[in-house]
Structure formats: C-alpha cells, structure tokens
Amino acid sequence: MDPIQSLPGTEDILPTCQWLGSDIKVAPVHTWQRVEEVARELFRRATYREIRTPCFEQTLLFERGIGTATDVVSKEMYSFRDRSDRGCTLRPEGTAGAVRAYVQHSLYAQGGVQRLWYSGPMFRYERPQKGRQRQFHQIGVEVLGSADPRADVEVIALATDLLQGLGLKNLTFYLNSVGDLHDRQRYRDALVAYLTPYQADLDPDSQHRLVHNPLRILDSKDQKTQAIVAAAPSILDYLADQSHWHFDQVQQQLAGLGIEFIVNPRLVRGLDYYSHTAFEIQSTDLGSQATVCGGGRYDGLVEALGGPATPAVGWAIGLERLTLVLEKLNPNQPASPEVYLVSRGEKAEANALYLAQQLRQAGLAIDLDLSGSAFGKQFKRADRSGAPVCLVLGEEEAAQALVQIKWLGSGQQTTLSQADLLQNPAQLRQLAQG
RNA sequence: GCGGGUGUAGCCAAGAGGUUAAGGCAGUGGAUUGUGGUUCCACCAUUCGAGGGUUCGAUUCCCUUCACUCGCCCCA
C-alpha cells in the first residue's frame, strides 16, 4: 500500500532538519521555537498584544480587503464552499483577519492606539518553490489608530530588532512611499503616459500590466523592461506635500535610530491596501524568493472593511524564509537531555521509572532508556544522546536503593543514595557540570 | 498557468542492455549476557517512482504517467 504523502506545498517541521540534497529544506522545530521566543520578548517590551483570528474567513473579506485585481485574490486563494454554501477562504495573509476582528469587536472604541501581533499559517495556491509554499507561516504586527510617522518607524524598528536579534546578516532594507490614493492616481497616469510609446518593447507580462496594474511593471525582472523603466518618472516626484512630509519624517527618524535603509522608488507592493510607507527586507542567503519581511502603511483598510476611518501600519515576516536563512547561517543543535537513565532487570526498571518521574517533576530533563536491551547498548545510546551524565540502575543498586552516576566524558563513576538524590535533585545539575 | 531538472534502501550515492544492484552514513544483532565513545563480524533493495513497449534478456533504450524539485508570474 502506498503511504499517504503530505499535499504539495505543505511541509512537516520535524525535530531534525529536513534535507534537500545538501541544502536545508525545512529548519528543525527548535529553530522555529527560537524565533518565536525572541519575537515574543520583543513584543512584550513594546507592549504589543497577541491576537488570534480564525484560519479561514468569508471570501468576501479578502476580496474587499486585499483587492480583487491582485494576484493573491484573483488566482491564489484556497477557496471552498462549506455545507451551508458559504464562500470560505483559507487566509492568504494576516492583516485582513486582524482588521476584521478589530472592527467586529469595536476595538477602536477602547480609544488610543492598538498594538497587535499574530502568528500562524497562511495559505496561497501557488506553485511551490524554494522559500514558497502553499501553507506557510507568518508572524506579523499591526498598529491601528495612529497616522504618526513614529508608528511607521516603531514597527520597522521592531522588525529590524527581531531579525538582528536572531543574528541575521546580509539583509537589505528597501523603503519607499507609494503616497495616498490621489498621489498614486496621478503617478499612475504619468507612468502609463511614459510607458505607452515603449509598449511593443515591454515583455508580454508587462504589456498586460500596462492596462491592469501599471505600477507592477516597475519591479519586472525582464532586462529590457528594466532598461525602459530605469528612466521612468519616480513616484517620489508625485507625492503631495503631506505625503512628502510623512516620508521625510520616517526617513529622518529611521536615521535617528541608526537603522540603515535604501530608498527604492520602484518598490511597489502587491496588495491594494498599502499607502504611504512601503518596505521590504531582503536576504541574499535565499533563492529567488528573497523577501523575508514586507510591510507598510494601510490607512484605508479599516474603513474599507466597514470600520471608522483608522490609519494603520504593519508588517509580516515569512517564517519559512527566516528560519531557512537562520539555519544556513548558524545551524544550532537541539538541547540534549541533562541526564540519561539506564536500567536493567524488572525491579530496577520499575525503580528507574520512578526515579525519572521524580527528577522530571523536579525540573530536570531525563531521557529514560526504554529499550530493555543490554547495558552495553544502553550506554551507547546514552553517549549519543549528548547527555553529560548517565544514571545507572541495575538489580544491585535497586536492592540497596542506590544509583550510580557516570560522567560520559571521563568515564568516571560513583555511587549515590537515591534518598539523598531525591532530597536534593538540583545537585544532579551541579554534578553534571563538574 | 508557463518553462527547466531529477527519481536506485531511512539518508547520501555508484552502476550499466546479461543476474550476486558497489560503497558510505544511520539502524539491528553479536564479539563484550553490569559499562559507552575505538575496533571487528553478521544482517539490512526478490529490486532501481509506476505502467506499457522494443529485446532471448531492461534498473539501463523508447513512450506514457506520477511524484519531487528549481525558476517565471506573484509574494512572506
């Protein structure tokens, strides 16, 4: 019988690395846990609170929130009808759901600014490749209720602190402003006017986009298109005074915090709801899917989803890409047990189980050998477990309520009384060090 | 949706139209039935992703199919 495989574009995160040839395909789970720990601590310090929203929503939410013209909505959604014939969609990103919850529960009525974070699986029906899956994971933040450029800078600082706190190198931070709706409309017209004479020279995709989504032509990877776009007007010349001021403030304040950035006027982001600040953090340690973090301001979204006009800014980090980079940079070992417990014989085995239970309750990480095989084999496993010491319980020790402690590094061994050990289990940790 | 690559054990792999399908890692058992890290021995693919074809003979050649993978589009 053929074993059942996971669906394409979905991956298991295992206790050990998943390899793809000599490349790491999926980082081991302890690497994910490290990211989550560092992130939680940063969020705590900056007073962001977690929000957990459903993994699926009404399809309409994403159509309204992200925009029907975007690729994410028009061709990448995991949509289905439930038994009551409701249109449902597995969330392709986290912002729409968070904003929906914000509106549904009138979080704006609490006044002031809401700082939120979330983490979880997202779904897009795309062809999987390196750093891109159908089920992937994001961790993200949203600040709702502030139009202040400091809010933009605060969230950006959070992202750079997180990535740097994890020890990432080779990152490039690209910053842009896409202005407000009016700025963008004027720029769009100017861009179309500039590109139309070159229409025939553009790559086929871009010719199509000239009609539907001209801004996207700016970051085409086609060389010829790139050459044409190089001389195109810049959106930064089309920002109204207010937009311009906002962008200036963001840049000055970023500089004030010592955060390095590159202004890239050709950076456009795929989702409709962005306004003003848009940014991306890329890593050179990935394949062609290099963006680790993407975000920006979305002042119109809350209103578009039926709430009061509320400015907002946020980002999302792709955890597959982040953990991949992290693992490539410094592969780290999972924690070894503190003690490996070896036993042989019926009485001794029962005694060992009891000891393990007691020591675990005292907070020690005990690996209890369950194999029942010869001592020799058990010591072999003890050695491989990476534990600094092992406890040995044979029939003789069990009969006298003793236990032997053996240092796996030196091979030295002495006898302890079980009663004494259980009286003060923490001494094991000291013994293990010495 | 479009293009390229790859399928030999849990993992990494060699092989080539002829029948015992190398080797390494991991695993299991033993030398060593109460003491590991070294060493030695044994075991570990009735079968080369699946189906069909050519052939006396196919894992190798041809076709089909499936799976995986990288890239384009787009995004985290």
Side-chain angles (χ1 to χ4, degrees), chain A residues 15 97 281 291 308 393 397:
Chain A
I281 302 174
T291 302
L393 241 175
E397 289 86 351

Side-chain angles (χ1 to χ4, degrees), chain A residues 381-394:
Chain A
R381 277 189 284 271
D383 195 52
R384 292 204 178 163
S385 77
V389 294
C390 71
L391 291 177
V392 188
L393 241 175

Side-chain angles (χ1 to χ4, degrees), chain A residues 199-220:
Chain A
Q199 186 166 6
D201 299 324
L202 296 173
D203 61 280
D205 279 324
S206 293
Q207 290 186 21
H208 184 255
R209 285 184 291 208
L210 191 55
V211 183
H212 295 96
N213 202 349
L215 296 201
R216 294 234 60 92
I217 298 175
L218 293 174
D219 59 6
S220 167

Side-chain angles (χ1 to χ4, degrees), chain A residues 208-258:
Chain A
H208 184 255
R209 285 184 291 208
L210 191 55
V211 183
H212 295 96
N213 202 349
L215 296 201
R216 294 234 60 92
I217 298 175
L218 293 174
D219 59 6
S220 167
K221 284 178 187 168
D222 184 83
Q223 281 205 342
K224 237 174 136 184
T225 302
Q226 279 287 340
I228 295 167
V229 157
S234 163
I235 190 162
L236 298 180
D237 297 326
Y238 288 79
L239 298 183
D241 287 350
Q242 178 62 25
S243 303
H244 210 275
W245 175 84
H246 188 96
F247 190 42
D248 266 0
Q249 285 295 307
V250 169
Q251 292 181 70
Q252 281 179 32
Q253 291 168 17
L254 282 173
L257 296 187

Side-chain angles (χ1 to χ4, degrees), chain A residues 2-186:
Chain A
D2 288 339
I4 295 170
Q5 285 191 303
S6 58
L7 287 165
T10 67
E11 296 296 348
D12 300 307
I13 301 163
L14 304 172
T16 51
C17 270
Q18 213 181 316
W19 293 94
L20 170 68
S22 58
D23 247 355
I24 296 150
K25 187 180 170 200
V26 179
V29 73
H30 62 266
T31 300
W32 288 70
Q33 289 166 344
R34 203 176 114 218
V35 171
E36 285 155 11
E37 278 162 25
V38 172
R40 270 169 204 274
E41 174 57 17
L42 282 171
F43 295 152
R44 186 191 67 77
R45 291 188 213 165
T47 69
Y48 284 64
R49 293 178 299 170
E50 184 178 7
I51 183 168
R52 301 189 185 189
T53 65
C55 282
F56 64 108
E57 299 269 3
Q58 289 189 43
T59 300
L60 199 57
L61 172 66
F62 303 115
E63 290 174 348
R64 280 206 200 137
I66 301 171
T68 45
T70 60
D71 281 10
V72 169
V73 170
S74 65
K75 58 178 205 190
E76 295 169 3
M77 291 214 293
Y78 253 105
S79 297
F80 60 96
R81 301 224 143 244
D82 70 10
R83 289 169 187 247
S84 303
D85 204 35
R86 275 180 287 250
C88 306
T89 296
L90 303 182
R91 61 181 180 192
E93 50 93 58
T95 300
V99 170
R100 194 222 79 241
Y102 175 84
V103 172
Q104 181 174 336
H105 304 289
S106 308
L107 298 186
Y108 49 82
Q110 296 176 15
V113 169
Q114 290 279 333
R115 291 182 168 92
L116 302 172
W117 71 270
Y118 63 83
S119 169
M122 307 292 164
F123 307 83
R124 289 181 202 171
Y125 196 92
E126 301 181 89
R127 277 295 271 277
Q129 66 186 68
K130 186 170 185 175
R132 191 172 69 197
Q133 296 171 196
R134 289 183 175 174
Q135 175 175 338
F136 59 104
H137 298 79
Q138 290 186 334
I139 193 162
V141 303
E142 319 287 357
V143 174
L144 295 132
S146 174
D148 195 308
R150 285 179 300 169
D152 306 43
V153 174
E154 178 181 295
V155 298
I156 288 169
L158 215 42
T160 57
D161 277 355
L162 176 53
L163 298 177
Q164 277 164 19
L166 288 164
L168 261 69
K169 307 250 174 355
N170 306 328
L171 297 175
T172 316
F173 176 31
Y174 295 104
L175 182 70
N176 192 25
S177 173
V178 295
D180 64 17
L181 232 56
H182 301 295
D183 302 338
R184 229 169 20 251
Q185 187 58 53
R186 288 191 299 137

Side-chain angles (χ1 to χ4, degrees), chain A residues 186-331:
Chain A
R186 288 191 299 137
Y187 175 63
R188 188 190 150 112
D189 293 345
L191 185 64
V192 171
Y194 166 82
L195 288 173
T196 301
Y198 300 104
Q199 186 166 6
D201 299 324
L202 296 173
D203 61 280
D205 279 324
S206 293
Q207 290 186 21
H208 184 255
R209 285 184 291 208
L210 191 55
V211 183
H212 295 96
N213 202 349
L215 296 201
R216 294 234 60 92
I217 298 175
L218 293 174
D219 59 6
S220 167
K221 284 178 187 168
D222 184 83
Q223 281 205 342
K224 237 174 136 184
T225 302
Q226 279 287 340
I228 295 167
V229 157
S234 163
I235 190 162
L236 298 180
D237 297 326
Y238 288 79
L239 298 183
D241 287 350
Q242 178 62 25
S243 303
H244 210 275
W245 175 84
H246 188 96
F247 190 42
D248 266 0
Q249 285 295 307
V250 169
Q251 292 181 70
Q252 281 179 32
Q253 291 168 17
L254 282 173
L257 296 187
I259 295 171
E260 289 178 24
F261 58 89
I262 296 173
V263 172
N264 177 6
R266 299 213 288 275
L267 171 69
V268 274
R269 303 197 37 76
L271 314 184
D272 275 3
Y273 52 62
Y274 285 106
S275 57
H276 298 290
T277 308
F279 65 90
E280 255 179 39
I281 302 174
Q282 298 191 355
S283 165
T284 54
D285 292 323
L286 283 164
S288 65
Q289 308 303 328
T291 302
V292 170
C293 174
R297 184 161 272 287
Y298 48 96
D299 288 344
L301 181 62
V302 177
E303 199 174 9
L305 293 179
T310 306
V313 58
W315 51 250
I317 284 176
L319 292 179
E320 276 74 10
R321 294 179 188 176
L322 175 55
T323 53
L324 223 49
V325 174
L326 215 51
E327 202 58 26
K328 185 174 171 185
L329 214 69
N330 61 344

